[in-house]
Amino acid sequence: MWEKLLDKKLLTVSDVQILLSVGRTKVFSLMASGELHSVLIGSSRRIPSDALEEFLEKLNYNNEA
């Protein structure tokens, strides 16, 4: 299941919830704070898969420091 999500170029908030094991509010909070980049397509919010990878890399870097 995760492999299918990771193959997408743009992820939904629900996709990111699953991948990060967090709630919807947390995903929107990360986007609002600028920690997780997102784009608006019409009235839909999407997270580029590259942005999610960058977010995860920052988490790993911060945990190693």
Side-chain angles (χ1 to χ4, degrees):
M1 178 175 125
W2 289 356
E3 293 85 17
K4 287 182 183 179
L5 292 179
L6 295 174
D7 286 341
K8 291 175 151 183
K9 297 281 185 197
L10 294 172
L11 302 165
T12 65
V13 170
S14 297
D15 294 338
V16 175
Q17 281 181 255
I18 292 167
L19 292 167
L20 296 180
S21 299
V22 297
R24 180 178 178 83
T25 303
K26 183 62 178 178
V27 175
F28 277 102
S29 173
L30 291 169
M31 290 187 298
S33 70
E35 292 179 78
L36 181 61
H37 177 72
S38 65
V39 296
L40 193 60
I41 300 175
S43 61
S44 300
R45 186 61 65 179
R46 295 292 183 263
I47 299 92
S49 57
D50 293 347
L52 180 60
E53 288 178 26
E54 288 175 20
F55 172 75
L56 293 173
E57 286 174 12
K58 287 179 187 174
L59 286 181
N60 287 334
Y61 175 77
N62 290 336
N63 287 333
E64 291 174 4

